[in-house]
Amino acid sequence: MEQESPDLEQLLQPAPLEPLGHPDAGLEAVVSEESEGARGEEGPGDSTMTENNFWLKKIEISVSEAEKRTGRNAMNMQETYTAYLIETRSVEHIDGPSVLTDSLWRRYSEFELLRNYLLVYYPHIVVPPLPEKRAEFVWHKLSADNMDPDFVERRRIGLENFLLRVASHPILCRDKIFYLFLTQEGNWKEIVNETGFQLKADSRLKALNATFRVKNPDKRFTELKHYSDELQSVISHLLRVRARVADRLYGVYKVHGNYGRVFSEWSAIEKEMGDGLQSAGHHMDVYASSIDDILEDEEHYADQLKEYLFYAEALRAVCRKHELMQYDLEMVAQDLASKKQQCEELATGTVRTFSLKGMTTKLFGQETPEQREARIKVLEEQISEGEQQLKSKNLEGREFVKNAWADIERFKEQKNRDLKEALISYAVMQISMCKKGIQVWTNAKECFSKM
């Protein structure tokens, strides 16, 4: 009858990082069911496709157009919004030339719905972020209006990049809801809502409670969370600096337009120097007007940095899910330890800690042997269930750590590659800009020399 007290420290230690297997192991078992098409009624957990949807590796996905529209919202109030045309085009077709597979229109809110669904059903994955809904880190000549044509165009590019990120992910690309997002315009939202993903989403309050109350957090995920905070801080600061530089650079370039005006006015009163001054003024005007295209190109690199600014939150989402699972594990272990202690006290007749039951026993006398045996039997059943639950939680946690860390390693490689390319390209663009400035002044010098 005597039960051993569990070693909580051992139970709650983070799972060691085991050699990583394929993160989507077991998905192949579902493929045969999906090969009949995407018409089945399977739940999201079974929503994988390879044989029937091998085209995910053989198609081009693009968000080719943005269109301003008006309509009624859920409150039956008229609103203005932007719709985006998604086109999927086959790369390899039996007849040779590529053909349009599907085209449909989606609102930004539908992209948000898709991403929220992916966050719930793939909590171990660093889900690609969406582009900003409203412009951030803008310099003064850039509109912050979310209906501004330039902003809409940059968001169109960002939404296309989001779809390409999902389509190139080894697990997310297989999801049936994502497949239907690209191919079925009609009742897609109803299909997503039928999955019940909103009910399975963890509440923010519960996640916050787990963050503060978890006793044995995994050091790797704690460090990852700190890294994501620092990454967000660094990129935010970099974008603010870039916005300030863009403001000042715009002013410097536009001031050069005054050179052009002054040289043109000066040329009107000079006979021998007139042609040279007029030509130099023209070069200054060209130089002043070039800044608009330069800063427009810079926005492309700023948007690449913003993507990883938003990726930081995706990393934190994985860390929060792990904290929540660890907290649940600790609560199960704590409840199991409590029940084992109660069972031991009943079996030995000794009470280790103060309790209401102990006071009741002293006031009203001991339980009969039959009552005590019945209570012990109930506790033993609860202990057995608790041990099974604890084992299940441990296995679930280990599987989460294995899959999450596999995807985090994939993300790190992607991040290093993308940011390296973006920063090199930005530096090359700055060098090119400076060379054009040198060329303008070289041309002006030649004009002055010919006077």
Side-chain angles (χ1 to χ4, degrees):
M1 303 298 290
E2 186 173 346
Q3 303 288 336
E4 291 186 4
S5 173
D7 186 349
L8 284 180
E9 291 298 324
Q10 183 178 359
L11 286 171
L12 303 182
Q13 283 302 314
L17 194 59
E18 300 170 355
L20 299 179
H22 195 276
D24 56 348
L27 292 178
E28 297 302 323
V30 193
V31 169
S32 59
E33 296 177 11
E34 290 294 337
S35 62
E36 297 298 324
R39 301 180 300 274
E41 299 297 326
E42 301 92 325
D46 298 323
S47 300
T48 59
M49 303 166 289
T50 52
E51 295 298 331
N52 186 51
N53 297 286
F54 70 99
W55 57 269
L56 279 172
K57 297 180 180 179
K58 299 184 179 182
I59 66 166
E60 293 176 352
I61 301 174
S62 65
V63 181
S64 58
E65 188 179 336
E67 181 179 280
K68 188 176 179 180
R69 295 181 177 182
T70 57
R72 297 282 178 177
N73 59 20
M75 303 296 292
N76 200 32
M77 298 176 64
Q78 188 166 335
E79 63 174 349
T80 302
Y81 62 92
T82 304
Y84 299 89
L85 180 63
I86 302 173
E87 294 182 342
T88 52
R89 188 177 297 273
S90 171
V91 177
E92 298 179 9
H93 191 253
I94 190 170
D95 297 326
S98 62
V99 295
L100 189 66
T101 306
D102 278 294
S103 65
L104 45 79
W105 293 89
R106 294 285 185 206
R107 294 183 59 173
Y108 184 88
S109 59
E110 292 176 289
F111 282 86
E112 286 183 310
L113 185 62
L114 171 64
R115 186 172 186 274
N116 289 337
Y117 158 81
L118 294 175
L119 283 170
V120 171
Y121 275 100
Y122 302 93
H124 60 282
I125 287 176
V126 185
V127 178
L130 291 170
E132 57 194 348
K133 193 166 187 175
R134 290 175 177 78
E136 299 178 18
F137 305 102
V138 297
W139 53 286
H140 79 280
K141 288 294 180 181
L142 199 66
S143 174
D145 181 12
N146 63 346
M147 300 302 290
D148 177 74
D150 291 335
F151 173 71
V152 169
E153 172 61 16
R154 292 199 313 277
R155 190 163 68 178
R156 179 196 67 77
I157 295 171
L159 291 173
E160 179 177 291
N161 185 61
F162 166 76
L163 293 179
L164 293 175
R165 293 281 196 205
V166 175
S168 63
H169 193 281
I171 300 176
L172 299 181
C173 72
R174 301 167 183 249
D175 187 86
K176 186 170 72 175
I177 296 297
F178 173 60
Y179 163 69
L180 294 176
F181 180 85
L182 298 174
T183 58
Q184 185 168 318
E185 188 169 13
N187 61 338
W188 178 81
K189 291 171 72 172
E190 288 75 11
I191 293 173
V192 180
N193 291 326
E194 284 174 3
T195 64
F197 79 94
Q198 296 98 330
L199 300 175
K200 298 179 181 180
D202 299 316
S203 72
R204 291 188 177 183
L205 184 61
K206 185 178 179 182
L208 185 64
N209 181 52
T211 299
F212 288 105
R213 297 187 64 183
V214 67
K215 296 178 182 178
N216 293 279
D218 190 320
K219 184 179 178 181
R220 292 162 298 179
F221 285 93
T222 302
E223 291 175 351
L224 181 65
K225 187 162 68 170
H226 290 331
Y227 169 76
S228 66
D229 292 339
E230 291 170 358
L231 178 66
Q232 186 176 43
S233 176
V234 168
I235 295 181
S236 296
H237 188 61
L238 186 60
L239 288 167
R240 290 190 191 97
V241 170
R242 183 259 159 191
R244 290 199 297 269
V245 170
D247 270 328
R248 295 182 184 183
L249 198 61
Y250 183 85
V252 168
Y253 268 69
K254 289 303 180 183
V255 166
H256 279 72
N258 293 333
Y259 280 130
R261 178 176 55 81
V262 171
F263 286 151
S264 295
E265 292 173 356
W266 192 1
S267 68
I269 64 174
E270 297 287 352
K271 292 182 179 179
E272 296 179 358
M273 298 169 57
D275 290 343
L277 290 170
Q278 184 70 35
S279 296
H282 170 71
H283 288 302
M284 291 298 125
D285 289 337
V286 171
Y287 183 67
S289 61
S290 66
I291 189 60
D292 296 299
D293 291 336
I294 290 171
L295 292 182
E296 185 177 335
D297 290 339
E298 272 200 14
E299 286 304 316
H300 169 69
Y301 298 109
D303 288 339
Q304 288 180 311
L305 289 175
K306 286 179 182 178
E307 181 186 19
Y308 281 93
L309 177 72
F310 304 141
Y311 256 123
E313 176 56 30
L315 283 173
R316 284 196 292 269
V318 176
C319 295
R320 284 196 298 269
K321 181 62 178 179
H322 181 266
E323 285 177 340
L324 198 56
M325 294 177 71
Q326 179 67 17
Y327 177 68
D328 288 342
L329 173 66
E330 291 176 1
M331 290 299 98
V332 170
Q334 184 177 319
D335 183 62
L336 178 61
S338 174
K339 284 184 168 53
K340 285 190 173 183
Q341 182 179 329
Q342 292 178 41
C343 191
E344 181 183 351
E345 290 173 353
L346 282 172
T348 60
T350 58
V351 180
R352 294 182 182 179
T353 57
F354 173 80
S355 66
L356 180 62
K357 183 64 182 175
M359 288 296 297
T360 305
T361 300
K362 288 184 178 181
L363 290 173
F364 300 103
Q366 295 286 341
E367 295 176 310
T368 64
E370 292 78 9
Q371 290 174 325
R372 188 165 60 251
E373 287 296 327
R375 287 189 58 206
I376 290 174
K377 186 177 180 181
V378 170
L379 282 170
E380 286 176 341
E381 291 175 357
Q382 292 175 345
I383 288 170
S384 178
E385 293 173 0
E387 287 174 341
Q388 290 298 319
Q389 190 178 4
L390 184 62
K391 182 179 179 181
S392 174
K393 292 283 184 184
N394 263 313
L395 291 174
E396 183 182 354
R398 289 175 183 273
E399 188 69 17
F400 179 89
V401 169
K402 183 182 74 172
N403 292 340
W405 217 252
D407 198 65
I408 288 165
E409 291 299 326
R410 179 203 59 81
F411 166 76
K412 286 179 179 178
E413 292 178 5
Q414 170 196 302
K415 172 190 63 90
N416 294 342
R417 181 177 62 251
D418 290 349
L419 291 181
K420 178 182 176 181
E421 290 177 2
L423 292 172
I424 290 174
S425 298
Y426 182 74
V428 169
M429 189 195 74
Q430 296 295 324
I431 293 169
S432 175
M433 180 180 66
C434 292
K435 285 181 176 179
K436 288 178 181 177
I438 292 172
Q439 187 61 49
V440 165
W441 282 104
T442 302
N443 294 338
K445 176 187 173 184
E446 292 176 357
C447 293
F448 297 148
S449 298
K450 294 175 182 178
M451 291 191 302

